Amino acid sequence: MTAPPASALRIGGSGVGAISILAGATGTLESVVSPTLPLLQRELSIDPGQGALLSIAMLITGALTAPIAGVLGDRHGGKRVLIWLMVVVSAGGLVSSVAPNLPVLLAGQVLEGAMVGAMPLSFILMRKLLPADRSPVAIGMISGFFVGGGMLGTLIAGPIAEGLSRHWMFAVPTFAIIVATFLVHKLAPDDPPSRTDARIDWPGVALLSGIVLTFMAGLATAPDMGSQPLLLVGVVVLLAAFVTGWIAVERRAAAPMFDLRLLATPAIWRSYVVTFAVCVGAALSIFLVPQLFAVSGDGYGFGASPTDIGRYLLPAAAMAAISGPLSGLGVRRFGASTVVAAGIVLMTASLIGMALVHGEIWHLIVGKALISLANGACITALVIRTATSVDHGTTGTATSLVLVIRVLGFATGAQIGGAVLTAGTPAGSEVPAESAYVTALIIAAVVSALSLLAIRTMNKGATHEPS
């Protein structure tokens, strides 16, 4: 690994705080669509299929933007690219806030998706401008604010949309992003480029985009694959073709988007596997728990209103907010692998607990809070693990792929949850059977637990294990 840059220690607590606030504001804007999707479908007169497109538009563009942002940050400096990226995100938020119809709102969401690239740029800044013993805690704080902002958006979107209008639920976090971006511009120092030779590998970006889009399309059409086996074959063949092409291009590229030799090291690829599994488990809980609060089924559910659900999820938001800094401290003291393993055990136990015991509201409140804590701690530790396992010049590129995998994991978990509930809904009813929720939570627990198999050897091939 290259030596830390001479500019280390140039950023102070106010600069780290400004970047953390920006992460929280972007996390809030990212999450406002999901809890208000029924309201948006009603007000914009769109069907569930169009609603599904709206719910994943930002995820898709974010997954495609993150690798490009990481390379640009490595080449031109993290702060400069971060500021320009936030200009795009702010424009998207403003477009979404005034959107009169679905096409305009989709355009706003596409622009907002650029926010996913902000995280690797923030990690570039922390590694460049802080010493090695302080950067894990700072990365943890930024990750925690982003996760906490996401939970805050879930909490406030419904009340703002119902009390004011759907326009204000986009406008409020956008204004916060604009203010936070100004603070970052004033309080964070400029960082020098890590790789002056870094170039955007456009063929690699195009093929990775094909992988992501095909994967998302496969998830969206999964319910029809049972009756249309040729559709499944087509998706698998197309996905395999994109993956094969991407590997071939990256091997031959003079400046590949991602060094496949690095991807082949256990420290990196096992981190990606664990990231995907943890996000699948967390996404299932995010999808299922609010519906369990709201459903009024036969002998289960609580018939909660959107405002009630927001109050019930408040402890989970608090746990998400503190998970990042706690994870950063834990990584510095015990190592990333230990923190990830502890988080997976806690998440698995909480998922099983909710599957078996969910007869009272507090059961779900406690379970969801513990899952939020575990998920935030795991993802933060995995990001730190990845960032500190590569050279300073590839921090943005390596961590951006973590965020791509995070998006794919959350999308997969949500689709699994939807498929299980749909299959578990009795004929002639619109309410899934209680057993469907139990099955989905058990699936989430199993997927999370299986990721422990990758933890034991995750350190092999590592350049550095934070301690």
Side-chain angles (χ1 to χ4, degrees):
M1 180 180 294
T2 58
S7 59
L9 288 174
R10 284 181 55 200
I11 191 169
S14 58
V16 175
I19 294 174
S20 299
I21 292 171
L22 178 60
T26 56
T28 302
L29 182 60
E30 181 193 47
S31 62
V32 296
V33 168
S34 179
T36 58
L37 195 55
L39 180 147
L40 292 172
Q41 291 178 186
R42 183 173 64 252
E43 292 197 359
L44 297 174
S45 300
I46 60 179
D47 59 39
Q50 293 171 318
L53 176 61
L54 180 62
S55 68
I56 66 173
M58 183 164 49
L59 292 178
I60 294 174
T61 57
L64 305 182
T65 301
I68 300 175
V71 173
L72 289 176
D74 288 332
R75 180 177 183 181
H76 298 292
K79 177 186 171 181
R80 178 185 302 179
V81 181
L82 177 63
I83 296 297
W84 282 109
L85 208 61
M86 288 302 102
V87 171
V88 176
V89 173
S90 299
L94 293 175
V95 169
S96 296
S97 69
V98 299
N101 51 43
L102 178 62
V104 177
L105 184 55
L106 280 174
Q109 293 299 290
V110 167
L111 293 174
E112 286 180 32
M115 71 174 65
V116 178
M119 298 303 286
L121 295 172
S122 300
F123 304 149
I124 289 173
L125 286 169
M126 295 305 100
R127 288 206 69 201
K128 284 182 179 179
L129 304 178
L130 286 172
D133 63 332
R134 289 182 59 194
S135 61
V137 178
I139 291 174
M141 179 178 293
I142 293 169
S143 297
F145 268 76
F146 181 78
V147 175
M151 292 301 300
L152 178 63
T154 301
L155 293 173
I156 67 174
I160 290 178
E162 292 176 343
L164 298 174
S165 73
R166 62 178 171 85
H167 304 286
W168 282 102
M169 75 179 189
F170 294 107
V172 171
T174 300
F175 293 149
I177 288 174
I178 294 172
V179 172
T181 301
F182 177 78
L183 292 176
V184 171
H185 174 69
K186 290 295 184 182
L187 299 176
D190 294 323
D191 59 307
S194 297
R195 298 170 60 197
T196 56
D197 64 332
R199 299 192 300 273
I200 297 178
D201 172 24
W202 288 114
V205 170
L207 288 167
L208 180 62
S209 300
I211 293 172
V212 172
L213 292 173
T214 303
F215 187 86
M216 290 290 193
L219 290 177
T221 58
D224 299 324
M225 289 183 180
S227 58
Q228 302 181 43
L230 289 180
L231 180 61
L232 173 61
V233 173
V235 169
V236 171
V237 170
L238 185 59
L239 187 60
F242 277 124
V243 171
T244 302
W246 184 68
I247 292 174
V249 166
E250 295 303 278
R251 280 180 171 177
R252 292 174 172 78
M257 180 181 65
F258 197 87
D259 189 345
L260 294 181
R261 293 171 300 178
L262 182 64
L263 183 60
T265 59
I268 299 299
W269 73 261
R270 292 182 190 276
S271 293
Y272 292 159
V273 170
V274 175
T275 298
F276 182 81
V278 167
C279 288
V280 169
L284 275 162
S285 73
I286 291 171
F287 177 80
L288 295 169
V289 170
Q291 296 193 62
L292 268 172
F293 281 134
V295 71
S296 182
D298 183 14
Y300 78 101
F302 306 98
S305 68
T307 301
D308 290 333
I309 293 173
R311 289 191 294 107
Y312 298 153
L313 292 177
L314 186 59
M319 290 296 101
I322 68 173
S323 64
L326 287 179
S327 181
L329 292 171
V331 169
R332 186 167 68 177
R333 175 68 178 85
F334 303 107
S337 299
T338 301
V339 173
V340 174
I344 292 173
V345 170
L346 178 59
M347 178 180 291
T348 302
S350 301
L351 288 165
I352 293 174
M354 285 200 302
L356 300 179
V357 183
H358 50 263
E360 301 289 340
I361 289 178
W362 71 267
H363 296 158
L364 297 178
I365 292 175
V366 173
K368 186 65 182 71
L370 293 176
I371 290 171
S372 293
L373 176 63
N375 177 57
C378 283
I379 298 303
T380 299
L382 288 164
V383 167
I384 294 172
R385 186 75 191 87
T386 303
T388 55
S389 295
V390 298
D391 291 338
H392 285 271
T394 55
T395 299
T397 306
T399 55
S400 67
L401 197 53
V402 174
L403 299 176
V404 172
I405 293 170
R406 172 182 172 269
V407 168
L408 297 180
F410 273 107
T412 301
Q415 289 293 336
I416 291 174
V420 172
L421 293 190
T422 300
T425 302
S429 172
E430 296 182 354
V431 179
E434 183 179 5
S435 59
Y437 288 94
V438 174
T439 300
L441 289 169
I442 292 296
I443 291 173
V446 171
V447 172
S448 300
L450 287 176
S451 66
L452 283 171
L453 299 176
I455 297 295
R456 192 175 68 174
T457 54
M458 196 169 69
N459 293 333
K460 293 181 180 180
T463 304
H464 175 244
E465 168 74 6
S467 59

